[in-house]
Amino acid sequence: MMKIRIDIILAAALLSLSSITVRGQRQKSTKPLVIAGQGSFAIGGKTNLTQGVFDVKNALKPDGQTFHGDHAYVFYQRPVKAHKYPLVFLHGAGQSKKTWETTPDGREGFQTLFLRRGFGVYLLDQPRRGEAGKSMVAANVAPTADEQFWFTQFRIGNYPEYFPGVQFPRDSASLEQFYRQMTPNTGPFDATVVSEAVSALFDKIGSSILITHSQGGGPGWLTGIKNDKVKAIVAYEPYSGFLFPAGELPAPISSAGLFGALKGTEIPLADFKKLTRMPIVIYYGDNIADSPTSVWNKDHWRSGLEIARLWAKTINKHGGDAEVVHLPEIGIKGNTHFPFSDLNNIAVADVLSNWLKKKGLDR
């Protein structure tokens, strides 16, 4: 296979970036990176055919024409001498594959960090988002002002104040990049539609490790149920979409968050037990309350962390291997809802690397 040489150090600006010290960690030297292949494709989705006969003289009429939609978009890179299992990255709400590419202040994201560590990487735009915008269901995209809400919801701080010690750059240019990386749904969010497309990717590329963020957690669990090629699941800050066996659903968890009490969803035990066949780890960042509080963003995520611990306990009760890691409890502090792109994302990546090694997934 033709090798493609990519010099990540494209300019003096990036060369200087390689020596920048960022809140407790030094960005490691960025050596030129050699990859074996890269590309992109669409996966999954449906095709509608409008009844009638296509007339080339009336080509704007839909009669007899097709519409392809609800697929995912995939960009991939494979390093030379790659590990056996590639990493599949699924973003969260309001995000796209950009989540994993670079950080708001321009450092390397998990895409490149783990490519350097020998993993093939597959970055998804889920159906009805980003590069996969052709939705089978109509929707309106309204330019609603909400960015200060997201600043607060994602625990950068309580706008306009940053949390003390938060691992987010405080310059205006980085904050603008953070706001601009958000992208709307072009159709209603549907965890089943998303998981069908992600499962189709696993059918195409074979056994791999699924890494999800936030809202991607729910479709991630569904993908793990649907496809035995999912060899492990890593979830960063999932909130909604936790699945429990019928008869074992915990009571809703109240919080001061803006979305009300947090509830799980019941599924048949036979489906739930499919999540016990792979190791699972869930990570949460900092500034999450350890008891009920009126600070709504901290309390929102308190309920998320609480249901995650209940869920992991249920997985393990049925013979699985699930672990919840609250990063401050292992000495990694200040992380937002985006630990993988925070100022200390190399330390966060090291934690994941150690887990992959412990589970024998980095061979």
Side-chain angles (χ1 to χ4, degrees):
M1 182 179 296
M2 182 180 69
K3 293 182 178 179
I4 304 170
R5 182 180 177 87
I6 295 182
D7 189 347
I8 296 298
I9 311 173
L10 294 174
L14 279 181
L15 279 168
S16 63
L17 178 64
S18 68
S19 63
I20 290 175
T21 298
V22 285
R23 198 178 297 281
Q25 72 173 12
R26 177 172 288 274
Q27 183 87 355
K28 295 178 180 178
S29 176
T30 50
K31 296 179 180 178
L33 178 62
V34 179
I35 61 174
Q38 66 178 14
S40 64
F41 54 87
I43 192 77
K46 298 178 180 177
T47 305
N48 277 352
L49 171 64
T50 300
Q51 294 300 313
V53 177
F54 175 68
D55 181 356
V56 73
K57 294 180 181 177
N58 293 287
L60 294 180
K61 292 181 64 176
D63 296 20
Q65 299 205 52
T66 57
F67 181 87
H68 290 70
D70 280 359
H71 48 266
Y73 171 88
V74 182
F75 175 78
Y76 70 91
Q77 291 177 306
R78 292 192 298 269
V80 176
K81 299 180 180 177
H83 296 312
K84 180 179 180 181
Y85 299 127
L87 307 179
V88 174
F89 291 94
L90 176 62
H91 55 77
Q95 302 292 314
S96 68
K97 65 185 184 305
K98 174 69 175 68
T99 291
W100 311 102
E101 292 172 353
T102 56
T103 68
D105 56 343
R107 290 169 293 112
E108 291 181 348
F110 266 27
Q111 171 190 351
T112 308
L113 292 178
F114 279 92
L115 194 63
R116 290 187 181 282
R117 297 180 188 204
F119 289 93
V121 295
Y122 289 77
L123 276 64
L124 283 154
D125 276 358
Q126 70 186 32
R128 308 175 183 175
R129 189 78 59 76
E131 303 274 6
K134 290 184 72 177
S135 170
M136 303 300 288
V137 182
N140 293 322
V141 178
T144 304
D146 60 2
E147 292 168 351
Q148 285 64 44
F149 159 73
W150 291 115
F151 179 103
T152 308
Q153 173 74 4
F154 291 157
R155 303 194 321 279
I156 297 171
N158 282 309
Y159 191 86
E161 302 297 327
Y162 289 78
F163 283 133
V166 69
Q167 297 279 359
F168 190 92
R170 300 193 182 205
D171 59 287
S172 59
S174 295
L175 186 56
E176 177 163 333
Q177 287 294 314
F178 178 75
Y179 288 152
R180 291 189 184 280
Q181 80 179 44
M182 297 197 73
T183 188
N185 287 326
T186 57
F189 171 77
D190 188 322
T192 299
V193 170
V194 175
S195 62
E196 287 174 350
V198 180
S199 183
L201 175 61
F202 277 80
D203 284 337
K204 179 180 178 68
I205 67 176
S207 297
S208 306
I209 299 164
L210 178 59
I211 300 180
T212 67
H213 178 224
S214 193
Q215 191 184 53
W221 313 137
L222 292 173
T223 303
I225 291 170
K226 290 175 179 175
N227 202 311
D228 62 8
K229 296 182 178 65
V230 178
K231 292 303 177 187
I233 299 178
V234 179
Y236 285 94
E237 300 224 343
Y239 182 76
S240 58
F242 281 100
L243 307 171
F244 289 85
E248 299 183 46
L249 191 66
I253 301 173
S254 299
S255 82
L258 305 186
F259 300 100
L262 178 56
K263 303 175 183 176
T265 300
E266 279 191 335
I267 59 173
L269 177 60
D271 285 342
F272 181 83
K273 292 191 74 169
K274 292 177 182 176
L275 290 170
T276 68
R277 63 192 176 197
M278 78 281 288
I280 297 171
V281 64
I282 303 174
Y283 295 109
Y284 287 90
D286 206 347
N287 293 303
I288 297 174
D290 55 12
S291 60
T293 172
S294 61
V295 183
W296 64 262
N297 53 353
K298 290 187 175 185
D299 208 49
H300 172 90
W301 291 104
R302 174 193 58 78
S303 64
L305 179 55
E306 185 174 330
I307 200 171
R309 285 172 166 156
L310 292 171
W311 183 82
K313 185 177 180 180
T314 308
I315 287 283
N316 295 336
K317 170 186 164 185
H318 286 280
D321 176 12
E323 178 182 5
V324 176
V325 178
H326 189 199
L327 292 174
E329 295 177 6
I330 61 171
I332 297 178
K333 299 182 179 180
N335 285 105
T336 71
H337 185 51
F338 294 74
F340 42 80
S341 61
D342 282 338
L343 291 169
N344 62 345
N345 68 337
I346 291 176
V348 174
D350 289 345
V351 172
L352 176 54
S353 288
N354 290 337
W355 184 83
L356 293 170
K357 183 177 181 61
K358 184 172 72 173
K359 299 300 179 183
L361 297 166
D362 64 347
R363 298 170 183 165

